[in-house]
Each structure stands twice: as C-alpha cells, then as structure tokens.
C-alpha cells in the first residue's frame, strides 16, 4: 500500500525534529505578535487617559514625606519609576490647568492654603471624569459643606450630560486674603477659552466654554482648616461672571506657561 507524504511545504517531516522546531517558532511568533498588540493597546490607552504634568504649586514642607523617627529614610522604591515633576497642574485625561504666573509664597501658612486650593480645583475637574458618581475621595478631602455641594453638583452635571471638559484652563491674579488660623479666602481669575465640551460617547469636541478674547470669571474660595496639620478645605465658592478683573490672557502667555 502506498503511504501518504507526511512532509510539509518545506519537505520536512511534520512529526520530525525539524517540523516540531518550526511549529514552535510559529507559536512563538504568534505569541510575540499578540503581546506586541497588547502593549500597543495599553500604551494607547495610557496616552489618552493621563496627563504627564505635575503640580505647578509644590506641596508645602509640612505635607512632604519626612524621615522616620528612628532616623532611617522611608522606603520610596514604589515611587521611583515616576518621572520628574514638570510645570503645570496634574489632572486626568485631557484637561490641563496652568497658572499664567506662578503665585509667590509669603509664608508657610500662605503656601499651605494656596496648595490646598490648587488641589481642590484639580479635584473638582477630576470628579467630572468619573463614569457615574462625582463623589471622589479627593473631592471629599478638599471640599466640605456648601462648597462640596457646589463642586459635586458641577461635576455631576458634566457626568449626567455625558460630557467632559477638554483642553486647558488658565488661572491668573491669584491672591490669598483674610488669612487667619480659622479661615482664609483664595481668589483667582479663570480663563476657560481653551476648554471645550467633549462628547464622552463620540469623543468629539463641542462648543468652547468661553469666547476667545473675552473676560474670564473671578472665582473666590472660602476655606477652613480641618484640624489636621497642613489640611484645608473649601467650604464655599462664589463666581463673578465675566469680571473686569479677569482680562483674557494672550495665546503667547498660554504657551509660555505650559512648559
């Protein structure tokens, strides 16, 4: 009886050593291709959902990590892979916040209050990127009372509309006023001409939140200490629309403040 040819297209015995090696190579190549696609997709998702800019206002020394009481340096290996800080305020996804001019610190308490105000602003924008509920841990950490209700409602409205603020906000004329151990007021101008309404479902930009070359809004935070050293919260927010105190920064100013 004639026996069928068991060789592949290359003439090698499919069950022989060479055939087994070639099958192994094929499996390895397939595995590498799948792995490469997975890495590419992960890199793409990461690039879309992160903003590399670190906080423009550095944390005050009272909230920085200090050496342990025994004199040993705390273990920081888990954060060693993070990149070096860059100008700008870190926020998730496609929203960025910049200072037209970085505020100067008058003293430690001034620095602490301003840093917490910055974190509160960031937390409000970050909350608007949640899929369903705006009540994030950071929103609860930096906002309280009526202020929390205002920030939560603002972020929740974005979520309900299936929209997200996309672009960059520029803060200017930042002042810390009425600063006492019990309360403080932080005021600043907010230029939103670089922010548009992004559609969550179609990923397309919509109308800008502020016409270009128009007056910005004047924001005031009332803030109170929490009793924890270095921690203040916003307990109220007032907004003066199109304030004469807030002329629109130039495009040149925008570019110079981003790097």
């Amino acid at each position: 009886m004639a026996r069928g040819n068991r060789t592949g297209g290359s003439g090698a015995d499919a069950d022989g050593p060479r055939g087994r090696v070639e099958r192994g190579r094929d499996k390895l190549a397939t595995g590498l291709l799948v792995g490469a696609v997975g890495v590419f997709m992960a890199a793409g998702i990461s690039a879309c959902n992160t903003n590399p800019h670190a906080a423009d206002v550095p944390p005050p020394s009272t909230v920085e990590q200090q050496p342990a009481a025994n004199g040993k340096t705390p273990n920081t290996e888990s954060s060693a892979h993070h990149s070096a800080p860059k100008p700008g305020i870190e926020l998730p996804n496609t929203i960025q916040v910049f200072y037209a001019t970085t505020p100067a610190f008058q003293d430690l308490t001034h620095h602490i209050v301003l840093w917490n105000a910055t974190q509160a602003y960031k937390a409000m924008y970050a909350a608007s990127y949640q899929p369903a509920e705006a009540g994030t841990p950071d929103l609860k950490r930096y906002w309280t009372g009526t202020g929390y209700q205002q920030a939560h409602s603002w972020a929740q409205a974005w979520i309900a509309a299936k929209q997200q603020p996309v672009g960059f906000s520029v803060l200017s004329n930042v002042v810390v006023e009425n600063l006492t151990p019990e309360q403080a007021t932080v005021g600043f101008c907010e230029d939103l001409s670089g922010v548009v309404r992004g559609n969550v479902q179609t990923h397309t930009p919509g109308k800008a939140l502020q016409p270009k070359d128009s007056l910005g809004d004047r924001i005031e935070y009332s803030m109170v200490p929490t009793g924890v050293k270095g921690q203040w919260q916003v307990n109220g927010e007032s907004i003066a629309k199109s304030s004469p105190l807030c002329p629109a920064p130039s495009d040149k100013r925008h570019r110079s403040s981003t790097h």
Side-chain angles (χ1 to χ4, degrees), residues 48-138:
C48 290
N49 293 330
T50 59
N51 171 17
H53 295 279
D56 188 46
V57 174
S61 60
T62 55
V63 297
E64 290 178 338
Q65 189 177 43
Q66 301 294 334
N70 59 10
K72 295 182 179 180
T73 302
N75 184 358
T76 58
E77 291 182 358
S78 61
S79 60
H81 66 282
H82 293 299
S83 59
K86 298 179 181 179
I89 299 176
E90 182 179 14
L91 286 173
N93 304 302
T94 52
I95 182 69
Q96 299 181 41
V97 184
F98 304 112
Y99 280 120
T101 302
T102 303
F105 308 129
Q106 298 176 4
D107 52 39
L108 179 59
T109 304
H110 182 277
H111 186 181
I112 290 173
V113 170
L114 180 57
W115 186 80
N116 280 272
T118 299
Q119 303 309 303
Y121 190 88
K122 290 163 52 178
M124 183 181 69
Y125 269 89
S128 69
Y129 274 83
Q130 296 303 301
E133 167 55 39
T136 64
D138 275 348

Side-chain angles (χ1 to χ4, degrees), residues 170 172-173 188-193 209-219 239-249:
V170 179
S172 61
N173 300 333
F188 55 90
C189 289
E190 179 186 48
D191 176 29
L192 299 178
S193 61
L209 301 191
Q210 177 183 336
K212 288 188 178 298
D213 300 321
S214 64
L215 296 175
D217 296 341
R218 183 68 184 177
I219 312 295
I239 304 175
K241 296 289 187 180
S242 302
S243 171
L245 298 175
C246 303

Side-chain angles (χ1 to χ4, degrees), residues 137-225:
D138 275 348
L139 198 69
K140 295 174 182 177
R141 179 181 181 186
Y142 293 108
W143 296 78
T144 188
T146 301
Y148 177 83
Q149 296 173 10
Q150 292 172 305
H152 183 276
S153 296
W154 180 89
Q156 197 66 48
W158 283 93
I159 296 172
K162 298 188 183 304
Q163 296 177 338
Q164 293 171 339
V166 177
F168 58 90
S169 170
V170 179
L171 310 185
S172 61
N173 300 333
V174 182
V175 294
V176 179
E177 301 174 320
N178 307 317
L179 177 56
T180 71
E182 291 78 29
Q183 63 89 38
T185 301
V186 177
F188 55 90
C189 289
E190 179 186 48
D191 176 29
L192 299 178
S193 61
V195 181
V196 300
R197 294 183 177 274
N199 188 300
V200 173
Q201 297 175 316
T202 62
H203 301 283
T204 55
K207 185 179 180 180
L209 301 191
Q210 177 183 336
K212 288 188 178 298
D213 300 321
S214 64
L215 296 175
D217 296 341
R218 183 68 184 177
I219 312 295
E220 281 197 356
Y221 287 166
S222 61
M223 302 185 68
V224 293

